[in-house]
Amino acid sequence: MTILIIAEHDNKSLKEITLNTMTAATQIGGDIDVLVAGENCGSAADAAAAITGVRRVLVADHACYNGQLAENMAALIETLASDYSHIMAPTTTSGKNILPRLAATLDTSYFSDIISVESADTFKRTIYAGNAIETVQTADSIKVMTVRGTAFDLSETNGSATIEALSTVTDLGLSSFVNEELAESERPELTSANIVISGGRGMQNGENFSILEKVADKLGAAVGASRAAVDAGFVPNDMQVGQTGKIVAPDLYIAVGISGAIQHLAGMKDSKVIVAINKDPDAPIFSVADYGLVADLFDAVPELEQAL
Amino acid sequence: MKILVMVKRVSDPNVMIRVSADNSSVDLNNVKMAINPFCEIAVEEAVRLKEAGIASEVVALSIGTSQSQEQLRTALAMGADRGILIESEGPLESLTVAKLTQKVIAEEQPGLVILGKQSTDTDNSQTGQMLASLMGWAQGTFASKLEIDGESINLTREVDSGLQTVRLSMPAVVTCDLRLNEPRFASLPNIMKAKRKPLDIKPIADFGVDLTPRIKTLMVETPNERQGGEVLSSVAELVEKLKTEKGVI
């Protein structure tokens, strides 16, 4: 087995979810290479070389990989694919954009968001908003997949892999990167935070999320939201936790003013401890919460902040 | 410009499904079915582009069982001009769906294909990307804003870190995220009108696409259920429990 991991990075640094993907690759076994494609991405490549167990880091540094455009990225990976039995990327908007395109180019199977490696050709993944888990297998010679970060531990980073520059430039000219509006936050990222506090429709508006932010700042937590809160325009989509947003599994998840729709539970029910604060005692969120507080969130949340 | 919009029949996303007793599949008997919510956003966007005078015709395509006609009628009631159903016996893999769609594109020659970003049953998020690859077209996934400017599209994408804007050459494939638009409710007169719009049913065998599954489902199981815990009476009690019982703060 020879595995290629597509690194998740912002040119300057490697995203932690790459290390979860490395653990999944290690469970398959064999030689593992990492591809870092971007523009001026040398420091991300250095970080990838430090992942324990990586054989080689392949670096494609060119303007046409800025913004990780799926067309150019899939074309680049296609030039490398014949050397590999598995091509893996973290389940992120980037991985989900690039790898299905690659799989079709290679005419091979694609597994989306795997949660377990059963063997080199068999994997588990969730369907129907996490209400069922399927075990799937393929005989295709190249297996392409994205990997759910929260389902695998972080790999260690005391390695020193060789770094090789790729001279291939696969600029298809189909698309171009215009700009990026990054959500600025001093808080930890949602998907890697140890504590997440999320608000739902019960927050009533975007301004009221400030009471969650105050608690988050005391706990070193990330702030999330339900789809209802995003749909209502309270907060941006990058805060969405759920089937159609981000999947999180922190040590502590605090759901505030969230009823607990199926699609929200899909994104957080693997959290270690779940706390629900909701004034409706019949809200479904209480059926998955370790601790429930039936209370008006506008009383309970400030009180919680004071108590911390 | 013609727009092809894809529509999938799925179980109602608000209904809790059950795994079949023999752990071979999800039991969809007597489960309420619906149009995949992201497909609804795709139809809405296509219809708006027609209303804005940018598109000349909106063709809705579904690939699935005969009952998928219901979801195509929903698309027609929302404003699509005509429907095509490629009728299959059972579920198909996304790559097969993309290959069948490729054949429809060869015939229909649309300038833009719009799909949902994922379906709420298999939760894959892959058909649009695969289709763009097979066509050799640009792809704009997870779209929250779409502006057509002559021969190209300015597309804003919902990405993990915020928003990304890309420029795509046309023809292209676009997949919709939640905030692209709010789909309309079809009015009763439009539902009646939709019944008379053309809906072409084509047998899947006519397309010459290999339907052999590449992925074998070995088992479908129910995840470990989480048990509800205790309802506490005060914030003070909650903080105490989190500190001492669980040690998470």
Side-chain angles (χ1 to χ4, degrees), chain A residues 29-57:
Chain A
D31 291 327
I32 301 169
D33 294 346
V34 176
L35 172 68
V36 179
E39 189 182 17
N40 299 322
C41 56
S43 44
D46 290 341
I51 304 173
T52 309
V54 170
R55 179 180 65 170
R56 290 188 303 170
V57 175

Side-chain angles (χ1 to χ4, degrees), chain A residues 71 107 110 128 271 289 291, chain B residues 121 126 139 214 226 229 245:
Chain A
E71 299 83 356
D107 195 28
Y110 166 71
Y128 291 88
S271 305
Y291 301 121
Chain B
D121 50 0
Q126 60 187 12
Q139 71 186 49
R214 310 274 285 273
R226 242 194 129 95
E245 243 173 56

Side-chain angles (χ1 to χ4, degrees), chain B residues 206-225:
Chain B
D206 289 4
F207 288 83
V209 169
D210 181 4
L211 307 175
T212 318
R214 310 274 285 273
I215 296 173
K216 208 158 111 186
T217 303
L218 303 181
M219 184 168 66
V220 178
E221 60 197 310
T222 307
N224 293 333
E225 294 264 331

Side-chain angles (χ1 to χ4, degrees), chain B residues 62-68 85-93 96-97 100 201-205 207 211:
Chain B
S62 191
I63 303 176
T65 57
S66 172
Q67 293 98 311
S68 302
L85 171 65
I86 301 181
E87 196 176 338
S88 76
E89 293 289 311
L92 296 165
E93 290 177 3
T96 312
V97 170
L100 289 161
I201 301 175
K202 302 181 178 199
I204 199 164
F207 288 83
L211 307 175

Side-chain angles (χ1 to χ4, degrees), chain B residues 1-9 35-50 55-64 68 71-86 97 100-101 104-105 108-117 127-128 131 137 146 172-176 180-181 183 197-200:
Chain B
M1 177 185 65
K2 191 191 281 187
I3 297 180
L4 183 69
V5 59
M6 296 188 63
V7 170
K8 187 177 182 185
R9 175 183 172 88
I35 180 171
N36 175 43
F38 290 98
C39 297
E40 222 171 351
I41 297 171
V43 173
E44 177 66 33
E45 195 64 18
V47 171
R48 285 187 193 189
L49 287 168
K50 190 184 170 194
S56 54
E57 188 185 22
V58 175
V59 180
L61 168 68
S62 191
I63 303 176
S68 302
Q71 282 64 45
L72 280 172
R73 292 288 172 201
T74 305
L76 296 174
M78 288 174 70
D81 296 295
R82 60 188 170 89
I84 301 172
L85 171 65
I86 301 181
V97 170
L100 289 161
T101 307
V104 175
I105 290 173
E108 296 283 343
Q109 299 286 322
L112 178 64
V113 182
I114 311 182
L115 304 82
K117 75 160 180 176
T127 305
L131 177 64
W137 290 358
L146 185 160
V173 173
V174 166
T175 79
C176 307
L180 184 60
N181 60 51
K197 288 185 178 176
L199 200 169
D200 210 359

Side-chain angles (χ1 to χ4, degrees), chain A residues 105-297:
Chain A
T105 307
L106 300 173
D107 195 28
T108 192
S109 302
Y110 166 71
F111 297 106
S112 179
D113 200 23
I114 64 159
I115 58 163
S116 124
V117 172
E118 300 297 298
S119 72
D121 64 3
T122 307
F123 310 93
K124 287 190 180 191
R125 55 182 303 276
T126 62
I127 51 177
Y128 291 88
N131 290 305
I133 298 173
E134 59 174 11
T135 306
V136 282
Q137 184 180 52
T138 184
D140 287 345
S141 57
I142 304 179
K143 295 153 190 74
V144 179
M145 68 201 76
T146 48
V147 177
R148 183 177 298 182
T150 56
F152 297 90
D153 293 335
L154 296 172
S155 62
E156 308 221 348
T157 50
N158 54 14
S160 54
T162 57
I163 298 181
E164 286 175 31
L166 298 172
S167 54
T168 334
V169 175
T170 50
D171 188 357
L172 304 189
L174 290 170
S175 60
S176 54
F177 174 77
V178 178
N179 64 48
E180 218 159 30
E181 286 171 49
L182 300 182
E184 294 294 337
S185 172
E186 299 293 308
R187 296 186 191 93
E189 282 189 40
L190 254 182
T191 49
S192 54
N194 292 324
I195 302 177
V196 173
I197 180 165
S198 290
R201 200 189 294 277
M203 297 304 297
Q204 295 176 3
N205 59 47
E207 289 75 53
N208 288 338
F209 270 72
S210 63
I211 64 172
L212 303 185
E213 289 166 2
K214 286 182 191 153
V215 175
D217 288 341
K218 285 210 168 162
L219 291 172
V223 180
S226 70
R227 172 174 158 180
V230 173
D231 264 349
F234 299 170
V235 290
N237 193 60
D238 53 71
M239 287 171 66
Q240 192 200 147
V241 172
Q243 180 191 18
T244 61
K246 290 174 181 169
I247 309 276
V248 302
D251 292 336
L252 173 61
Y253 188 88
I254 307 174
V256 181
I258 292 176
S259 65
I262 293 172
Q263 90 90 28
H264 185 71
L265 301 184
M268 45 64 83
K269 68 181 177 187
D270 290 332
S271 305
K272 286 201 186 80
V273 178
I274 296 175
V275 170
I277 301 175
N278 200 308
K279 68 180 172 193
D280 173 11
D282 298 323
I285 191 77
F286 288 116
S287 68
V288 300
D290 299 278
Y291 301 121
L293 210 53
V294 180
D296 186 329
L297 70 92

